[in-house]
C-alpha cells in the first residue's frame, strides 16, 4: 500500500456556542478539539487503514498531547511530529454567523507548528512516503511552507504523486509568499480538491467547464470539486462523475472537506476506482458535519458503509 504523507498545522479548535460575528465580547465556548486541516485529513486516512504520516510541530502542553493521542489512536504515524518544550500548540477560535458562515481567530504562524523545521525524522518520512497531500493553510507560514515545498520536489522527483486542497481561509490570504507557493504546488499536482469557488483561484475562466478544461490541460489528472451540501463531482480527461448530496443534520461543517479528501486519497491510492472512492468520500464529508468538533466526524469504512446503506434505504 502507498504511504501517504501530509505536512502542516496541528492545533486545537475552540468553538463559540453562540452565533454572531467574531469575538468582540465574551462567549460561551466548547472544546478544545483536535484540529488543523492536515491533521484532520490524515486522521481520516488513518481511520480507513491506509499507511500514513504527518510532519508537524506541537508544544509540550495539553493541546499537543490531545492531538498526538488522537492521531496515534487512529493509526497515524506521528514520528514526524516534534514536541517543542516551552512552546504553545496552535489554536483556532471559530464562531458561526447566523447564515452559517464562520469567523476564525488563528494562532498558527507564531505557534509551535509555525516554526516547523526539517528534522531527521521528517527527512526519513519524506523519503519513505510515495504520496504527498498539501493544503493551502500549510503554505501560509514560512517554516511549514519551506518544508512542504522541499517534500514536494523530493517526492515528485522519485516518481511519487501529489494531491492539493487549497483550503484557503480569508484570515490567511495576505500571508507573504503564499501566492507563489500555491502556484508552485499546483504545477506539481496530480489530484486537485478545491471547494466551490476555489476552482477559479488558479484560472482565468468564467465558468466551471472552462476552468476544469484549463486545469486538466496543465497536467492535473483528477479534479474533485467539493460542492458542500450539493454533493461533489470528479473530473478527468476522460469522464465526469457526480456524487449526489446525502441528507444529514448539520451540526458542524468544519473539517468536512478534509474528511472528504482523506477518504478519497486513502481509497483511490490503494485499490479503489474513482467512482468508488468518490462515493465514500462524499459519505465521509456528509458524516463529518454531524459531529461537533472538526476531527470528531472522521469515519471508519464500516461507519461509511452504514451511512451509505441508510441513505440508499431512504
Amino acid at each position: 500500500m502507498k504511504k501517504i504523507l501530509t505536512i502542516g498545522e496541528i492545533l486545537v479548535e475552540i468553538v463559540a456556542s453562540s452565533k454572531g460575528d467574531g469575538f468582540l465580547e465574551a462567549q460561551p465556548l466548547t472544546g478544545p478539539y483536535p484540529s488543523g486541516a492536515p491533521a484532520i485529513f490524515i486522521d481520516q486516512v488513518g481511520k480507513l487503514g491506509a499507511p500514513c504520516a504527518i510532519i508537524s510541530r506541537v508544544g509540550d502542553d495539553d493541546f499537543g498531547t490531545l492531538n498526538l493521542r488522537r492521531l496515534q489512536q487512529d493509526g497515524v504515524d506521528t514520528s514526524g511530529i516534534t514536541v517543542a518544550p516551552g512552546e504553545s500548540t496552535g489554536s483556532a477560535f471559530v464562531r458561526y454567523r447566523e447564515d452559517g458562515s464562520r469567523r476564525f481567530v488563528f494562532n498558527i504562524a507564531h505557534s509551535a507548528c509555525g516554526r516547523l523545521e526539517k528534522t531527521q525524522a521528517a527527512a526519513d518520512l519524506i523519503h519513505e512516503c510515495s504520496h504527498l497531500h498539501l493544503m493551502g493553510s500549510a503554505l501560509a507560514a514560512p517554516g511549514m511552507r519551506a518544508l512542504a515545498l522541499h517534500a514536494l520536489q523530493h517526492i515528485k522527483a522519485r516518481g511519487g504523486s501529489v494531491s492539493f486542497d487549497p483550503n484557503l481561509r480569508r484570515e490567511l490570504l495576505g500571508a507573504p509568499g503564499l501566492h507563489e507557493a500555491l502556484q508552485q504546488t499546483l504545477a506539481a499536482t496530480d489530484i486537485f480538491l478545491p471547494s466551490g469557488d476555489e476552482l477559479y483561484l488558479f484560472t482565468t475562466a468564467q465558468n466551471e467547464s472552462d476552468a476544469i478544461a484549463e486545469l486538466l490541460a496543465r497536467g492535473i489528472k483528477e479534479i474533485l470539486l467539493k460542492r458542500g451540501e450539493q454533493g461533489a463531482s470528479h473530473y478527468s480527461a476522460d469522464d465526469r462523475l457526480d456524487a449526489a448530496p446525502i441528507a444529514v443534520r448539520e451540526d458542524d461543517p468544519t473539517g468536512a472537506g478534509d474528511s472528504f479528501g482523506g477518504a478519497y486519497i486513502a481509497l483511490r491510492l490503494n485499490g479503489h476506482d474513482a467512482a468508488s472512492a468518490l462515493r465514500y468520500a462524499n459519505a465521509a464529508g456528509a458524516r463529518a458535519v454531524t459531529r461537533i468538533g472538526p476531527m470528531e466526524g472522521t469515519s471508519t469504512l464500516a461507519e461509511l458503509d452504514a451511512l451509505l446503506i441508510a441513505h440508499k434505504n431512504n
Side-chain angles (χ1 to χ4, degrees), residues 6-195:
T6 194
I7 298 172
E9 71 274 14
I10 291 176
L11 49 89
V12 293
E13 189 158 302
I14 298 167
V15 183
S17 300
S18 64
K19 292 183 178 180
D21 190 19
F23 291 90
L24 295 177
E25 65 268 341
Q27 300 296 322
L29 304 170
T30 182
Y33 298 106
S35 190
I40 301 164
F41 167 88
I42 210 68
D43 189 78
Q44 178 59 81
V45 174
K47 271 200 171 179
L48 291 176
C52 61
I54 183 171
I55 296 172
S56 191
R57 198 165 183 267
V58 297
D60 186 15
D61 55 21
D62 286 353
F63 292 168
T65 300
L66 175 70
N67 275 284
L68 282 167
R69 287 179 177 174
R70 172 62 63 84
L71 293 168
Q72 291 164 355
Q73 169 189 309
D74 291 340
V76 178
D77 180 347
T78 60
S79 63
I81 300 176
T82 298
V83 178
E87 297 186 31
S88 299
T89 301
S91 62
F93 288 76
V94 59
R95 190 179 184 198
Y96 286 85
R97 301 183 179 96
E98 292 293 341
D99 64 3
S101 63
R102 294 164 289 175
R103 180 70 179 271
F104 288 89
V105 175
F106 288 111
N107 172 30
I108 297 176
H110 300 293
S111 69
C113 64
R115 291 183 282 274
L116 188 59
E117 300 173 339
K118 184 180 178 183
T119 63
Q120 187 57 53
D124 291 344
L125 284 174
I126 291 169
H127 182 73
E128 177 184 346
C129 295
S130 57
H131 182 86
L132 176 66
H133 180 81
L134 290 180
M135 294 183 164
S137 57
L139 300 171
M144 288 190 287
R145 181 192 310 140
L147 187 55
L149 295 179
H150 165 76
L152 178 82
Q153 294 165 358
H154 189 83
I155 289 174
K156 285 293 283 191
R158 290 191 290 106
S161 54
V162 171
S163 51
F164 175 41
D165 183 340
N167 191 46
L168 293 171
R169 306 291 188 209
R170 178 179 64 85
E171 293 83 353
L172 301 177
L173 287 175
L178 177 60
H179 177 75
E180 294 79 4
L182 292 170
Q183 293 294 339
Q184 187 174 342
T185 302
L186 188 73
T189 294
D190 299 287
I191 303 175
F192 184 44
L193 299 103
S195 295

Side-chain angles (χ1 to χ4, degrees), residues 240-251:
R240 170 179 173 166
L241 303 168
D242 292 300
I246 296 175
V248 293
R249 183 194 72 254
E250 180 181 296
D251 289 328

